[in-house]
Coordinates of all heavy atoms in Angstrom, one line a residue:
M1 N 248.2 206.6 103.4 CA 247.5 207.4 104.3 C 247.2 208.8 103.8 O 246.1 209.3 103.9 CB 248.3 207.5 105.7 CG 247.5 208.0 106.8 SD 246.0 207.0 107.1 CE 245.0 208.2 108.0
I2 N 248.2 209.4 103.1 CA 248.0 210.7 102.5 C 247.0 210.6 101.4 O 246.1 211.5 101.4 CB 249.4 211.2 101.9 CG1 250.3 211.6 103.1 CG2 249.1 212.4 101.1 CD1 251.6 212.1 102.7
R3 N 247.0 209.6 100.6 CA 246.0 209.4 99.6 C 244.6 209.3 100.2 O 243.7 210.0 99.7 CB 246.3 208.2 98.7 CG 245.3 208.1 97.6 CD 245.6 206.9 96.7 NE 246.8 207.0 96.0 CZ 247.5 205.9 95.5 NH1 247.0 204.7 95.7 NH2 248.6 206.0 94.9
F4 N 244.5 208.6 101.3 CA 243.2 208.5 101.9 C 242.7 209.8 102.4 O 241.5 210.2 102.2 CB 243.3 207.5 103.1 CG 242.0 207.4 103.9 CD1 240.9 206.7 103.5 CD2 242.0 208.0 105.2 CE1 239.8 206.7 104.2 CE2 240.8 208.0 105.9 CZ 239.7 207.3 105.4
S5 N 243.5 210.6 102.9 CA 243.1 211.9 103.4 C 242.6 212.8 102.3 O 241.7 213.6 102.5 CB 244.3 212.6 104.1 OG 244.8 211.9 105.1
I6 N 243.3 212.7 101.2 CA 242.9 213.6 100.0 C 241.5 213.2 99.6 O 240.7 214.0 99.3 CB 244.0 213.5 98.9 CG1 245.2 214.2 99.3 CG2 243.4 214.1 97.6 CD1 246.4 214.0 98.4
V7 N 241.3 211.9 99.5 CA 240.0 211.4 99.1 C 238.9 211.9 100.1 O 237.8 212.4 99.6 CB 239.9 209.9 99.0 CG1 238.5 209.4 98.8 CG2 240.8 209.4 97.9
V8 N 239.2 211.8 101.4 CA 238.2 212.3 102.4 C 238.0 213.8 102.2 O 236.8 214.3 102.2 CB 238.7 211.9 103.8 CG1 237.8 212.6 104.8 CG2 238.7 210.4 104.0
L9 N 239.0 214.5 102.0 CA 238.9 216.0 101.9 C 238.1 216.3 100.6 O 237.2 217.1 100.7 CB 240.3 216.6 101.8 CG 240.3 218.1 101.6 CD1 239.8 218.8 102.8 CD2 241.8 218.6 101.3
A10 N 238.4 215.6 99.5 CA 237.6 215.9 98.3 C 236.1 215.6 98.5 O 235.2 216.4 98.1 CB 238.2 215.1 97.2
A11 N 235.8 214.5 99.2 CA 234.5 214.1 99.4 C 233.8 215.1 100.3 O 232.6 215.5 100.0 CB 234.4 212.7 100.0
S12 N 234.4 215.6 101.3 CA 233.7 216.5 102.2 C 233.6 217.9 101.6 O 232.6 218.6 101.8 CB 234.5 216.7 103.6 OG 235.8 217.1 103.4
L13 N 234.5 218.3 100.7 CA 234.3 219.5 99.9 C 233.1 219.4 99.0 O 232.3 220.3 98.9 CB 235.6 219.8 99.1 CG 236.8 220.4 99.9 CD1 237.9 220.6 98.9 CD2 236.4 221.7 100.5
A14 N 233.0 218.3 98.4 CA 231.8 218.1 97.4 C 230.5 218.2 98.2 O 229.6 218.8 97.8 CB 232.0 216.8 96.7
A15 N 230.5 217.5 99.4 CA 229.3 217.5 100.2 C 229.0 218.9 100.7 O 227.8 219.3 100.7 CB 229.5 216.5 101.4
G16 N 230.0 219.6 101.1 CA 229.8 221.0 101.6 C 229.2 221.8 100.5 O 228.2 222.6 100.7
A17 N 229.7 221.7 99.3 CA 229.2 222.5 98.2 C 227.7 222.2 97.9 O 226.9 223.0 97.6 CB 230.0 222.3 96.9
A18 N 227.4 220.9 97.9 CA 226.0 220.5 97.7 C 225.1 221.0 98.7 O 224.0 221.5 98.5 CB 225.9 218.9 97.6
A19 N 225.5 221.0 100.0 CA 224.7 221.4 101.1 C 224.4 222.9 101.0 O 223.3 223.3 101.4 CB 225.3 221.1 102.4
A20 N 225.3 223.7 100.5 CA 225.1 225.1 100.4 C 224.1 225.5 99.4 O 223.5 226.5 99.5 CB 226.5 225.8 100.1
G21 N 223.8 224.6 98.4 CA 222.8 224.8 97.4 C 223.4 225.8 96.4 O 224.5 226.4 96.5
P22 N 222.5 226.2 95.4 CA 223.0 227.1 94.4 C 223.1 228.5 95.0 O 222.2 228.9 95.7 CB 221.9 227.1 93.3 CG 220.7 226.5 94.0 CD 221.2 225.7 95.2
A23 N 224.2 229.1 94.7 CA 224.5 230.5 95.3 C 223.7 231.5 94.5 O 223.5 231.4 93.3 CB 225.9 230.8 95.2
G24 N 223.1 232.5 95.2 CA 222.4 233.6 94.5 C 223.5 234.4 93.8 O 224.7 234.4 94.1
D25 N 223.0 235.2 92.9 CA 224.0 236.1 92.1 C 223.4 237.5 92.1 O 222.6 237.8 91.2 CB 224.2 235.5 90.7 CG 225.2 236.4 90.0 OD1 225.5 237.5 90.4 OD2 225.7 235.9 88.9
P26 N 223.6 238.3 93.1 CA 223.0 239.6 93.3 C 223.3 240.5 92.0 O 222.4 241.3 91.6 CB 223.6 240.2 94.5 CG 224.3 239.1 95.2 CD 224.6 238.0 94.2
A27 N 224.4 240.4 91.5 CA 224.7 241.3 90.3 C 223.8 240.9 89.1 O 223.3 241.8 88.5 CB 226.2 241.1 89.9
R28 N 223.7 239.6 88.9 CA 222.8 239.2 87.8 C 221.3 239.6 88.1 O 220.6 240.0 87.3 CB 222.9 237.7 87.6 CG 222.0 237.2 86.5 CD 222.6 236.0 85.7 NE 221.6 235.4 84.9 CZ 221.1 235.9 83.8 NH1 221.5 237.0 83.3 NH2 220.2 235.2 83.1
G29 N 220.9 239.4 89.4 CA 219.6 239.8 89.8 C 219.3 241.3 89.6 O 218.2 241.6 89.1
E30 N 220.3 242.1 89.9 CA 220.1 243.5 89.7 C 219.9 243.9 88.2 O 219.1 244.7 87.8 CB 221.4 244.3 90.3 CG 221.2 245.8 90.3 CD 222.4 246.4 91.0 OE1 223.2 245.7 91.6 OE2 222.5 247.7 90.8
E31 N 220.7 243.2 87.4 CA 220.7 243.4 86.0 C 219.3 243.0 85.4 O 218.6 243.7 84.7 CB 221.7 242.5 85.3 CG 222.1 242.8 83.9 CD 223.2 241.8 83.5 OE1 224.2 241.7 84.1 OE2 222.9 241.1 82.5
L32 N 218.8 241.8 85.9 CA 217.5 241.3 85.4 C 216.4 242.2 85.9 O 215.4 242.4 85.2 CB 217.3 239.9 85.9 CG 218.1 238.8 85.2 CD1 217.9 237.5 85.8 CD2 217.9 238.8 83.7
Y33 N 216.5 242.8 87.1 CA 215.4 243.6 87.7 C 215.2 244.9 86.9 O 214.1 245.5 87.0 CB 215.7 243.8 89.2 CG 214.5 244.4 89.9 CD1 213.4 243.5 90.2 CD2 214.5 245.7 90.4 CE1 212.3 244.0 90.8 CE2 213.4 246.2 91.1 CZ 212.3 245.3 91.3 OH 211.2 245.8 91.9
Q34 N 216.2 245.3 86.2 CA 216.1 246.5 85.4 C 214.8 246.4 84.5 O 214.1 247.4 84.3 CB 217.3 246.7 84.4 CG 218.6 247.1 85.2 CD 218.5 248.3 86.0 OE1 217.9 249.3 85.6 NE2 219.0 248.2 87.2
A35 N 214.5 245.3 84.0 CA 213.3 245.1 83.1 C 212.0 245.3 83.9 O 211.0 245.6 83.3 CB 213.4 243.7 82.5
C36 N 212.1 245.1 85.2 CA 210.8 245.2 86.0 C 210.6 246.7 86.4 O 209.4 247.1 86.7 CB 211.0 244.4 87.3 SG 211.7 242.8 87.1
T37 N 211.6 247.5 86.4 CA 211.5 248.9 86.9 C 210.7 249.8 86.0 O 210.4 250.9 86.3 CB 212.9 249.5 87.3 OG1 213.7 249.5 86.1 CG2 213.6 248.7 88.4
D38 N 210.4 249.3 84.8 CA 209.5 250.1 83.9 C 208.2 250.2 84.6 O 207.5 251.2 84.4 CB 209.3 249.3 82.6 CG 210.5 249.5 81.6 OD1 211.4 250.3 81.9 OD2 210.5 248.8 80.6
C39 N 207.8 249.2 85.4 CA 206.5 249.2 86.0 C 206.5 249.2 87.5 O 205.5 249.4 88.2 CB 205.6 248.1 85.5 SG 205.4 248.1 83.7
H40 N 207.6 248.7 88.1 CA 207.7 248.5 89.5 C 208.8 249.3 90.2 O 209.8 249.5 89.6 CB 208.0 247.0 89.9 CG 206.9 246.1 89.5 ND1 205.8 245.8 90.3 CD2 206.7 245.2 88.4 CE1 205.0 244.9 89.7 NE2 205.6 244.5 88.6
S41 N 208.6 249.6 91.5 CA 209.8 250.1 92.2 C 209.6 249.4 93.6 O 208.6 248.7 93.9 CB 209.8 251.6 92.4 OG 209.0 252.0 93.4
L42 N 210.6 249.5 94.4 CA 210.6 248.8 95.7 C 209.6 249.4 96.7 O 208.9 248.7 97.3 CB 212.0 248.8 96.3 CG 213.0 247.9 95.7 CD1 214.4 248.0 96.4 CD2 212.5 246.4 95.8
D43 N 209.6 250.8 96.7 CA 208.8 251.4 97.8 C 207.6 252.2 97.3 O 206.9 252.8 98.2 CB 209.7 252.3 98.6 CG 210.8 251.5 99.3 OD1 210.4 250.5 100.0 OD2 212.0 251.8 99.2
K44 N 207.4 252.3 96.0 CA 206.2 253.1 95.5 C 205.4 252.3 94.5 O 206.0 251.7 93.7 CB 206.7 254.4 94.9 CG 207.0 255.5 95.8 CD 206.9 256.9 95.2 CE 207.1 257.0 93.7 NZ 208.3 257.9 93.3
N45 N 204.1 252.3 94.7 CA 203.3 251.7 93.6 C 203.4 252.6 92.4 O 203.4 253.8 92.4 CB 201.8 251.7 94.1 CG 201.6 250.8 95.3 OD1 202.3 249.9 95.5 ND2 200.6 251.1 96.1
D46 N 203.5 251.8 91.2 CA 203.6 252.5 90.0 C 202.6 251.9 89.0 O 201.4 251.7 89.5 CB 205.1 252.2 89.5 CG 205.5 253.2 88.4 OD1 204.7 253.7 87.7 OD2 206.7 253.5 88.3
V47 N 202.9 251.5 87.8 CA 202.0 250.7 87.0 C 201.7 249.4 87.7 O 200.6 249.0 87.8 CB 202.7 250.5 85.6 CG1 201.8 249.6 84.8 CG2 202.9 251.8 84.9
G48 N 202.8 248.9 88.3 CA 202.6 247.7 89.1 C 202.8 248.0 90.6 O 203.3 249.1 91.0
P49 N 202.4 247.1 91.5 CA 202.6 247.3 92.9 C 204.0 247.3 93.4 O 204.9 246.7 92.8 CB 201.8 246.1 93.5 CG 201.8 245.0 92.5 CD 201.8 245.8 91.2
R50 N 204.3 248.0 94.5 CA 205.7 248.1 95.0 C 206.1 246.7 95.5 O 205.3 245.8 95.9 CB 205.7 249.1 96.2 CG 204.9 248.7 97.4 CD 205.0 249.9 98.5 NE 204.2 249.5 99.7 CZ 202.9 249.8 99.8 NH1 202.2 250.4 98.8 NH2 202.3 249.4 100.9
H51 N 207.4 246.5 95.4 CA 207.9 245.1 95.6 C 208.6 244.8 96.9 O 208.8 243.7 97.3 CB 209.0 244.8 94.5 CG 208.4 244.2 93.3 ND1 209.1 244.2 92.0 CD2 207.2 243.7 93.0 CE1 208.3 243.6 91.1 NE2 207.2 243.3 91.7
R52 N 208.9 245.9 97.7 CA 209.6 245.5 99.0 C 208.7 244.6 99.8 O 207.5 244.9 100.0 CB 210.0 246.8 99.8 CG 210.9 246.5 100.9 CD 211.4 247.7 101.7 NE 212.0 248.7 100.9 CZ 213.3 248.6 100.4 NH1 214.1 247.6 100.7 NH2 213.8 249.6 99.7
G53 N 209.3 243.5 100.3 CA 208.6 242.5 101.1 C 207.7 241.6 100.3 O 206.9 240.9 100.9
V54 N 207.8 241.6 99.0 CA 206.9 240.8 98.2 C 207.1 239.3 98.4 O 206.1 238.5 98.4 CB 206.9 241.2 96.7 CG1 208.2 240.6 96.0 CG2 205.7 240.7 95.9
Y55 N 208.3 238.9 98.7 CA 208.6 237.5 98.9 C 208.0 237.1 100.2 O 208.3 237.6 101.3 CB 210.1 237.2 98.9 CG 210.5 235.8 98.8 CD1 210.7 235.2 97.5 CD2 210.6 235.0 99.9 CE1 211.1 233.9 97.4 CE2 210.9 233.6 99.8 CZ 211.2 233.1 98.5 OH 211.5 231.8 98.4
G56 N 207.1 236.1 100.2 CA 206.4 235.6 101.4 C 205.0 236.4 101.6 O 204.3 236.0 102.5
R57 N 204.8 237.4 100.7 CA 203.5 238.2 100.9 C 202.4 237.4 100.1 O 202.7 236.8 99.1 CB 203.8 239.5 100.3 CG 202.7 240.6 100.5 CD 203.2 242.0 100.3 NE 203.2 242.4 98.8 CZ 203.9 243.4 98.4 NH1 204.7 244.1 99.2 NH2 203.9 243.7 97.1
K58 N 201.2 237.6 100.5 CA 200.1 237.1 99.8 C 199.9 237.9 98.5 O 199.9 239.1 98.6 CB 198.8 237.1 100.7 CG 197.6 236.3 100.2 CD 196.6 236.3 101.3 CE 195.3 235.6 100.8 NZ 194.6 236.5 99.7
A59 N 199.6 237.3 97.4 CA 199.4 238.0 96.1 C 198.2 239.0 96.2 O 197.2 238.6 96.8 CB 199.2 237.0 95.0
G60 N 198.4 240.1 95.7 CA 197.3 241.1 95.6 C 196.9 241.6 97.0 O 195.7 242.0 97.1
S61 N 197.8 241.7 97.9 CA 197.4 242.0 99.3 C 197.7 243.5 99.7 O 197.4 243.8 100.9 CB 198.0 241.0 100.3 OG 199.4 241.1 100.3
L62 N 198.4 244.3 98.9 CA 198.6 245.6 99.4 C 197.3 246.4 99.3 O 196.6 246.4 98.3 CB 199.6 246.3 98.4 CG 201.1 245.8 98.5 CD1 201.9 246.6 97.4 CD2 201.7 246.1 99.8
P63 N 197.0 247.1 100.4 CA 195.7 247.7 100.5 C 195.6 248.9 99.6 O 194.5 249.3 99.2 CB 195.6 248.2 102.0 CG 197.0 248.2 102.5 CD 197.7 247.2 101.7
D64 N 196.7 249.5 99.2 CA 196.6 250.7 98.4 C 197.0 250.6 96.9 O 197.5 251.5 96.3 CB 197.5 251.8 99.1 CG 199.0 251.3 99.2 OD1 199.2 250.1 99.0 OD2 199.8 252.1 99.6
Y65 N 196.9 249.3 96.4 CA 197.1 249.1 95.0 C 195.9 248.5 94.3 O 195.4 247.5 94.9 CB 198.4 248.3 94.8 CG 198.6 248.0 93.3 CD1 199.3 249.0 92.5 CD2 198.1 246.9 92.7 CE1 199.5 248.8 91.2 CE2 198.3 246.7 91.3 CZ 199.0 247.7 90.5 OH 199.1 247.5 89.2
P66 N 195.5 249.0 93.2 CA 194.2 248.4 92.6 C 194.5 247.2 91.7 O 194.6 247.3 90.5 CB 193.8 249.6 91.6 CG 195.1 250.3 91.3 CD 196.0 250.2 92.5
Y67 N 194.7 246.1 92.4 CA 194.9 244.8 91.7 C 193.8 244.4 90.8 O 192.6 244.8 91.1 CB 195.2 243.7 92.7 CG 196.4 243.8 93.6 CD1 196.4 244.3 94.8 CD2 197.7 243.4 93.1 CE1 197.5 244.4 95.6 CE2 198.8 243.5 93.8 CZ 198.7 244.0 95.1 OH 199.8 244.1 95.9
S68 N 194.1 243.5 89.9 CA 193.0 242.8 89.2 C 192.3 241.8 90.1 O 192.9 241.4 91.1 CB 193.6 242.0 88.0 OG 194.4 240.9 88.6
D69 N 191.0 241.6 89.9 CA 190.2 240.6 90.7 C 190.9 239.3 90.7 O 191.0 238.6 91.7 CB 188.8 240.5 90.2 CG 188.0 241.8 90.5 OD1 188.4 242.5 91.4 OD2 187.0 242.0 89.8
A70 N 191.5 238.9 89.5 CA 192.1 237.6 89.4 C 193.2 237.4 90.4 O 193.3 236.4 91.1 CB 192.6 237.4 88.0
L71 N 194.1 238.5 90.5 CA 195.2 238.3 91.4 C 194.7 238.4 92.9 O 195.2 237.6 93.7 CB 196.3 239.4 91.1 CG 197.6 239.1 91.7 CD1 198.2 237.8 91.1 CD2 198.6 240.3 91.5
K72 N 193.8 239.3 93.1 CA 193.3 239.5 94.5 C 192.7 238.2 95.0 O 192.8 237.8 96.2 CB 192.2 240.6 94.6 CG 192.8 241.9 94.9 CD 191.7 242.9 95.3 CE 190.9 243.3 94.1 NZ 190.0 244.5 94.3
S73 N 192.0 237.4 94.2 CA 191.3 236.2 94.6 C 192.1 235.0 94.4 O 191.6 233.8 94.5 CB 189.9 236.1 93.9 OG 190.1 236.0 92.5
S74 N 193.4 235.1 94.0 CA 194.2 234.0 93.6 C 194.6 233.1 94.8 O 194.9 231.9 94.6 CB 195.4 234.4 92.9 OG 196.3 235.1 93.7
N75 N 194.7 233.7 96.0 CA 195.2 232.9 97.1 C 196.6 232.4 97.0 O 197.0 231.4 97.6 CB 194.3 231.8 97.5 CG 193.3 232.2 98.6 OD1 193.7 232.9 99.5 ND2 192.1 231.7 98.4
I76 N 197.4 233.1 96.2 CA 198.8 232.7 96.0 C 199.7 233.4 97.1 O 199.4 234.5 97.4 CB 199.3 233.1 94.6 CG1 198.6 232.3 93.5 CG2 200.8 233.0 94.5 CD1 198.9 232.9 92.1
V77 N 200.7 232.7 97.6 CA 201.7 233.4 98.4 C 203.0 233.4 97.6 O 203.3 232.3 97.0 CB 201.9 232.7 99.7 CG1 203.1 233.2 100.5 CG2 200.7 232.8 100.6
W78 N 203.7 234.5 97.5 CA 204.8 234.6 96.6 C 206.0 233.9 97.2 O 206.5 234.3 98.3 CB 205.2 236.1 96.3 CG 204.1 236.7 95.5 CD1 203.4 237.9 95.9 CD2 203.6 236.3 94.2 NE1 202.5 238.2 94.9 CE2 202.6 237.3 93.9 CE3 203.9 235.3 93.3 CZ2 201.9 237.2 92.7 CZ3 203.1 235.2 92.2 CH2 202.2 236.1 91.8
N79 N 206.5 232.8 96.6 CA 207.7 232.1 96.9 C 208.4 231.8 95.6 O 208.0 232.2 94.6 CB 207.4 230.9 97.8 CG 206.5 229.9 97.1 OD1 206.5 229.8 95.9 ND2 205.7 229.2 97.8
E80 N 209.5 231.0 95.8 CA 210.3 230.7 94.6 C 209.4 230.1 93.5 O 209.5 230.5 92.3 CB 211.4 229.7 95.0 CG 212.6 229.8 94.1 CD 213.8 229.1 94.7 OE1 214.1 229.3 95.9 OE2 214.4 228.3 94.0
E81 N 208.6 229.2 93.9 CA 207.8 228.4 92.9 C 206.7 229.3 92.2 O 206.5 229.3 91.0 CB 207.1 227.2 93.6 CG 206.6 226.2 92.7 CD 205.8 225.1 93.5 OE1 206.3 224.9 94.7 OE2 204.8 224.6 93.1
T82 N 205.9 230.0 93.1 CA 204.8 230.8 92.5 C 205.4 232.0 91.7 O 204.8 232.3 90.6 CB 203.9 231.3 93.6 OG1 204.7 232.0 94.6 CG2 203.1 230.2 94.3
L83 N 206.5 232.6 92.1 CA 207.1 233.7 91.3 C 207.6 233.2 90.0 O 207.4 233.8 89.0 CB 208.2 234.3 92.1 CG 207.8 235.3 93.2 CD1 209.1 235.7 94.1 CD2 207.2 236.5 92.6
D84 N 208.1 232.0 90.0 CA 208.6 231.4 88.8 C 207.5 231.2 87.8 O 207.6 231.6 86.6 CB 209.3 230.1 89.1 CG 210.2 229.6 87.9 OD1 210.9 230.5 87.3 OD2 210.2 228.4 87.6
K85 N 206.4 230.7 88.2 CA 205.2 230.5 87.4 C 204.7 231.9 86.8 O 204.4 232.0 85.7 CB 204.1 229.8 88.1 CG 204.0 228.4 88.0 CD 202.7 227.9 88.4 CE 202.7 226.4 88.7 NZ 201.6 226.0 89.6
W86 N 204.5 232.8 87.8 CA 204.0 234.1 87.4 C 204.9 234.8 86.4 O 204.4 235.4 85.4 CB 203.9 235.0 88.7 CG 203.6 236.4 88.6 CD1 204.5 237.5 88.7 CD2 202.4 237.1 88.3 NE1 203.9 238.7 88.5 CE2 202.6 238.4 88.3 CE3 201.1 236.6 88.1 CZ2 201.5 239.4 88.1 CZ3 200.0 237.5 87.9 CH2 200.3 238.8 87.9
L87 N 206.2 234.8 86.6 CA 207.1 235.5 85.7 C 207.2 234.8 84.4 O 207.6 235.4 83.4 CB 208.4 235.7 86.4 CG 208.3 236.6 87.6 CD1 209.7 236.7 88.4 CD2 207.9 238.0 87.3
T88 N 206.9 233.5 84.3 CA 207.0 232.8 83.1 C 205.8 233.3 82.2 O 206.0 233.4 80.9 CB 206.8 231.3 83.3 OG1 207.9 230.9 84.1 CG2 206.9 230.5 82.0
D89 N 204.7 233.6 82.8 CA 203.5 234.0 82.0 C 202.5 234.7 82.9 O 201.5 234.1 83.3 CB 202.9 232.8 81.3 CG 201.7 233.2 80.4 OD1 201.5 234.5 80.2 OD2 201.0 232.3 79.9
P90 N 202.7 236.0 83.1 CA 201.9 236.8 84.1 C 200.4 236.7 83.7 O 199.5 236.7 84.6 CB 202.4 238.2 84.1 CG 203.8 238.1 83.6 CD 203.8 236.9 82.6
Q91 N 200.0 236.7 82.4 CA 198.6 236.7 82.0 C 197.9 235.4 82.6 O 196.8 235.5 82.9 CB 198.5 236.7 80.5 CG 198.9 238.1 79.9 CD 198.2 239.3 80.6 OE1 197.1 239.2 80.9 NE2 199.0 240.4 80.7
Ligands
HEC1 C1 204.5 246.3 81.8 C2 204.5 246.5 83.2 C3 205.1 245.5 84.2 C4 206.4 245.0 84.1 C5 207.5 245.3 83.1 C6 206.5 244.1 85.2 N1 205.3 244.0 85.9 FE1 205.0 243.0 87.6 N2 203.1 243.7 87.7 C7 202.5 244.6 86.8 C8 201.1 244.8 87.1 C9 200.1 245.7 86.4 C10 200.8 244.0 88.3 C11 199.5 243.8 89.0 C12 198.8 242.7 88.3 C13 197.4 242.4 88.8 O1 196.8 243.2 89.6 O2 196.8 241.4 88.3 C14 202.1 243.3 88.6 C15 202.2 242.4 89.6 C16 203.4 241.8 90.0 C17 203.6 241.0 91.1 C18 202.5 240.6 92.2 C19 202.7 241.6 93.3 C20 201.7 241.5 94.5 O3 201.7 242.4 95.3 O4 201.0 240.5 94.6 C21 204.9 240.5 91.1 C22 205.5 239.6 92.2 C23 205.5 241.1 90.0 N3 204.6 241.9 89.3 C24 206.8 240.9 89.6 C25 207.4 241.5 88.5 C26 208.8 241.2 88.2 C27 209.8 240.4 89.0 C28 209.0 241.9 87.0 C29 210.3 241.9 86.2 C30 210.8 240.6 85.8 C31 207.8 242.5 86.6 N4 206.8 242.2 87.6 C32 207.6 243.3 85.5 C33 203.2 245.2 85.8 C34 204.5 244.9 85.3

């Protein structure tokens, strides 16, 4: 009976871990974002557009940033998939 309980516990722990999905790592994100701050900040347009709220925003949609026509007319919404593509090769 004890052995059965351990098996059930192990199985439910594994299922719980899978359901939670991959955990984010804010420290690593902060480190990687340093490379973006040459051109971007959260709240001010710089070489690139400000980033606060960019996740879920339509690409090229800030009214006060002079985007390229390509980005303005791209009809992209920024999510995990589109950001991944963009950051792989912005050109
Ligand atoms: C060399 C300068 C530069 C760097 C470094 C840079 N960007 Fe950009 N980024 C830009 C420019 C310029 C644009 C506007 C492009 C356009 O209008 O086509 C932009 C646009 C974007 C957009 C679209 C924003 C919107 O409002 O639609 C995202 C998202 C973005 N950058 C993310 C990043 C991230 C994340 C990093 C770091 C990994 C990064 N950028 C690094 C210059 C840069």
Side-chain angles (χ1 to χ4, degrees):
M1 194 58 202
I2 287 175
R3 185 181 292 156
F4 174 74
S5 303
I6 289 171
V7 169
V8 169
L9 180 64
S12 57
L13 283 177
D25 183 344
R28 176 146 169 76
E30 189 176 347
E31 194 183 304
L32 290 174
Y33 193 69
Q34 293 302 315
C36 317
T37 58
D38 283 350
C39 300
H40 292 279
S41 84
L42 284 178
D43 293 309
K44 276 204 336 238
N45 295 333
D46 198 334
V47 177
R50 62 184 183 273
H51 271 163
R52 192 177 302 284
V54 76
Y55 196 91
R57 189 161 83 198
K58 192 168 172 296
S61 66
L62 290 176
D64 55 350
Y65 179 84
Y67 292 100
S68 66
D69 289 339
L71 198 62
K72 266 193 291 193
S73 60
S74 66
N75 264 324
I76 291 169
V77 172
W78 295 122
N79 59 32
E80 206 166 313
E81 193 186 327
T82 52
L83 280 170
D84 196 39
K85 264 197 201 160
W86 169 257
L87 296 173
T88 300
D89 182 6
Q91 293 306 326

